[in-house]
Amino acid sequence: MRIGQDKLIILRKIVQSCSIAAVIAIIWNTRFPLDRFVNPSFYFHIDPLVMTTTALAERVWLEGLALALALLAATAFLGRFFCAWICPLGAALDFIALLKTPFVRRRRTIEKNPSAARFTKYAVLAVIVIAAGAGRQFAWTLDPIAVFMRTFSLAVHPGVNNGLNGFFSGILMRADVPRLESVYNLLRDSFLGTDIASLSNTRGIVLLFAAIALPVILKRRLWCRYLCPLGAMLALPALLSPLRRKASCGKKCRACMHSCRMNAIYSDNSYPREECILCFDCVRDCPDDSTRFAFSPVSKRKNVRSGIDSDRTLAVSRSAFLRYSAVAALAAAVPLNAKKSLKAAVKPARAILRPPGSLGGEEFIRRCIRCGNCMKICPTGVLAPSPLKLGLDRLWAPVLDTSSSYCEYTCNLCGKVCPTGAIRSLSPAEKAGAVIGLAVIDTEVCVPYKKGIDCLVCEEHCPVPEKAIVIKMTRFKGKYVKMPVVREDLCIGCGICEVKCPTEPEKAIKIFAPKMKAALKQGKQNR
């Protein structure tokens, strides 16, 4: 093996390890007050799939789009390096494949010539781009960066953090171990932090990640080979790259073919260069050091034995092209013809309270890439991914669950970490006046209205300086009772009144979308 190529392999492993470590560190430190590390929105700004399709769906120029285009330009020069050097999901798949090694019988991997199934990812990309052109943004479903960040932010990190907190707390409650307590205090101040809210509706997020990750036990980088839409997008400019694989081997041992994690090498040593992710496995496993990578001008494929060039350009048969085009067209018809999933009913309206500063209606849905940043940073845990019952196009978008928590009046962090501007970054003054919803008192449940007993809880906890809930003395069965009244012109719908309301099991005051005011009144009149 050439010394220079050997150093590249070591460098790739170092860069890949540092990249996924940096992503995990960014996610881990995405917490209140967001002053410890890099803003997590940065990683999405270099993602060309979500940036370009979101910009296309919204017809706007997004902050970070320039970085995404820069990555495409770098790919045109260096090739598809992102997949093996930087992609966090790719690194996770490699790590899982590495973990299986001690548990399976060691045997040589037998790979066949690259499968035409690799063109499936281009059909997936076509569906996403066609949908974006029609104003529907679905890149968040299968984008590898979004999949990894969402899973780690909303499921893995809370589970690990709270599990470690529970482990240390359980031991320290049973025994006095000063050294262990010192270690725990150090970890809590620098690494763990307090318990993180366990979010609902994350099962589907975990299942999607498992469906992508577990198949690597059978085939290395199965997802990257056949389905990854970001890989398909990066493969197109990679066709222009002058960095090429050279193979002058005449033994036909096929060691490189069987070692390629992308199954991108043919039995005659040629390869479709858009499928190569520059992992350099073929260089490492070549028995006579006849495989190398070097910059060379674009030229037609020549005899492999000459050692001049061994690449194949992207090619697909006419029948295969028609097949994949038909699949893409049929799949694209689903999002294009999808009906609006939410109806003007009271229960769904409570479920679509959006974070403060959110864009309105469909514009928010087109912008939101379901990265999980806003839910991760929320100090009270009021934000949660929306369930499937609200519609596929709204799946996992952030909603406020005011039945369990509330929006902190002085917090404006969700807008600071949103990578696409679906949640606008608000100043503290703007956040204080941002309307999320409207508090509505159910007089059939509220204690003062129903039983004539004073209760000031909602008014006491209202954070609005002028008080959006005021107390009015009202005559009730021959006596005056202090009854709460919502001032609709001041209420921002933060939800703290609902959380603190003492009535059980049903709360006497609830937060609804502002537009539901008329519907609620009409509903009461119909009773």
Side-chain angles (χ1 to χ4, degrees):
M1 182 186 296
R2 292 174 174 81
I3 295 178
Q5 302 283 321
D6 189 15
K7 288 182 178 180
L8 276 177
I9 295 173
I10 296 173
L11 178 62
R12 183 194 67 78
K13 292 181 178 179
I14 292 174
V15 172
Q16 186 183 42
S17 300
C18 291
S19 177
I20 192 169
V23 173
I24 292 174
I26 290 172
I27 296 174
W28 207 279
N29 287 280
T30 301
R31 58 191 181 194
F32 183 85
L34 195 65
D35 60 356
R36 295 190 178 187
F37 211 65
V38 179
N39 192 308
S41 63
F42 166 78
Y43 225 86
F44 292 95
H45 288 165
I46 64 172
D47 184 343
L49 181 62
V50 295
M51 284 290 109
T52 56
T53 54
T54 304
L56 177 61
E58 270 289 271
R59 311 297 195 269
V60 295
W61 179 270
L62 296 177
E63 178 186 359
L65 187 56
L67 288 175
L69 296 177
L71 178 61
L72 291 177
T75 303
F77 179 68
L78 295 173
R80 228 173 111 184
F81 70 96
F82 180 87
C83 300
W85 292 63
I86 301 174
C87 179
L89 183 58
L93 297 182
D94 289 341
F95 181 69
I96 294 172
L98 185 65
L99 287 179
K100 76 170 184 178
T101 305
F103 303 100
V104 297
R105 185 178 56 165
R106 291 194 175 187
R107 61 181 180 181
R108 189 179 184 186
T109 303
I110 306 299
E111 292 280 12
K112 299 180 180 179
N113 281 330
S115 170
R118 70 181 187 274
F119 292 105
T120 305
K121 60 180 175 286
Y122 297 101
V124 175
L125 175 63
V127 170
I128 292 173
V129 173
I130 293 172
R136 293 185 178 275
Q137 195 271 107
F138 283 97
W140 55 269
T141 53
L142 298 176
D143 177 75
I145 296 179
V147 168
F148 181 86
M149 300 281 271
R150 182 169 58 230
T151 305
F152 198 92
S153 294
L154 305 184
V156 177
H157 180 210
V160 172
N161 187 87
N162 297 345
L164 288 174
N165 271 329
F167 171 76
F168 281 106
S169 300
I171 294 178
L172 293 175
M173 287 178 64
R174 292 176 175 82
D176 185 14
V177 186
R179 289 186 179 180
L180 182 61
E181 185 173 1
S182 299
V183 171
Y184 178 45
N185 290 335
L186 178 63
L187 289 175
R188 188 174 55 187
D189 294 338
S190 60
F191 180 70
L192 291 177
T194 57
D195 283 349
I196 301 173
S198 296
L199 302 178
S200 58
N201 307 320
T202 58
R203 183 179 299 175
I205 294 173
V206 175
L207 289 177
L208 176 61
F209 181 82
I212 292 172
L214 294 182
V216 300
I217 297 174
L218 303 175
K219 287 281 188 181
R220 295 165 297 173
R221 292 269 188 158
L222 191 67
W223 160 260
C224 307
R225 294 182 188 184
Y226 306 127
L227 292 172
C228 180
L230 178 56
M233 175 172 278
L234 294 174
L236 299 177
L239 285 167
L240 305 175
S241 173
L243 181 60
R244 292 158 173 243
R245 176 178 176 268
K246 308 291 182 178
S248 57
C249 176
K251 296 180 181 180
K252 294 185 178 180
C253 65
R254 300 184 181 178
C256 55
M257 177 183 178
H258 300 316
S259 68
C260 180
R261 66 186 69 189
M262 288 293 291
N263 184 220
I265 301 177
Y266 288 89
S267 57
D268 63 354
N269 269 340
S270 63
Y271 77 117
R273 62 180 178 272
E274 74 280 356
E275 295 297 317
C276 177
I277 60 174
L278 301 174
C279 64
F280 301 120
D281 287 347
C282 55
V283 177
R284 179 197 63 201
D285 294 338
C286 183
D288 59 358
D289 293 341
S290 61
T291 301
R292 64 189 179 88
F293 281 79
F295 287 97
S296 63
V298 177
S299 62
K300 294 182 179 180
R301 182 185 171 224
K302 298 181 181 179
N303 193 308
V304 176
R305 293 179 184 273
S306 68
I308 298 176
D309 204 349
S310 62
D311 68 310
R312 289 191 181 188
T313 55
L314 179 66
V316 61
S317 66
R318 182 182 301 177
S319 60
F321 175 78
L322 293 175
R323 247 190 341 263
Y324 287 109
S325 298
V327 171
L330 289 174
V334 175
L336 293 180
N337 295 323
K339 296 180 179 180
K340 291 185 178 181
S341 55
L342 298 181
K343 298 179 180 179
V346 173
K347 289 186 178 180
R350 272 183 52 79
I352 56 170
L353 295 170
R354 298 297 184 194
S358 295
L359 299 177
E362 293 299 318
E363 188 178 5
F364 175 82
I365 296 302
R366 290 193 296 267
R367 286 274 190 108
C368 179
I369 60 172
R370 282 67 160 177
C371 62
N373 284 350
C374 57
M375 293 173 262
K376 178 71 172 58
I377 196 66
C378 182
T380 60
V382 68
L383 293 180
S386 58
L388 181 60
K389 67 181 181 181
L390 293 183
L392 180 61
D393 57 340
R394 286 162 170 76
L395 181 65
W396 300 337
V399 295
L400 271 78
D401 182 11
T402 54
S403 64
S404 60
S405 191
Y406 61 94
C407 180
E408 174 58 47
Y409 184 67
T410 59
C411 176
N412 62 347
L413 295 181
C414 54
K416 290 184 177 181
V417 298
C418 181
T420 62
I423 306 173
R424 292 176 291 110
S425 182
L426 303 177
S427 67
E430 290 174 327
K431 165 58 172 65
V435 177
I436 302 167
L438 175 67
V440 177
I441 297 174
D442 188 341
T443 57
E444 296 181 1
V445 179
C446 184
V447 173
Y449 285 94
K450 185 178 181 180
K451 300 181 179 180
I453 302 174
D454 292 343
C455 179
L456 309 178
V457 173
C458 55
E459 186 271 342
E460 290 174 343
H461 284 90
C462 180
V464 179
E466 299 84 357
K467 291 295 181 181
I469 300 177
V470 296
I471 301 299
K472 291 189 176 181
M473 299 297 295
T474 305
R475 192 172 181 83
F476 181 87
K477 295 182 179 181
K479 64 176 182 179
Y480 283 96
V481 179
K482 297 178 180 178
M483 294 186 176
V485 177
V486 176
R487 294 186 59 184
E488 298 178 4
D489 58 325
L490 294 178
C491 180
I492 60 172
C494 66
I496 193 171
C497 54
E498 181 176 348
V499 173
K500 300 298 182 180
C501 179
T503 61
E504 295 290 349
E506 186 177 0
K507 298 294 186 178
I509 187 167
K510 298 178 183 178
I511 308 300
F512 291 86
K515 64 182 180 180
M516 289 307 300
K517 174 183 174 183
L520 288 167
K521 288 184 176 180
Q522 183 65 37
K524 290 181 179 179
Q525 293 174 1
N526 294 336
R527 289 179 183 176

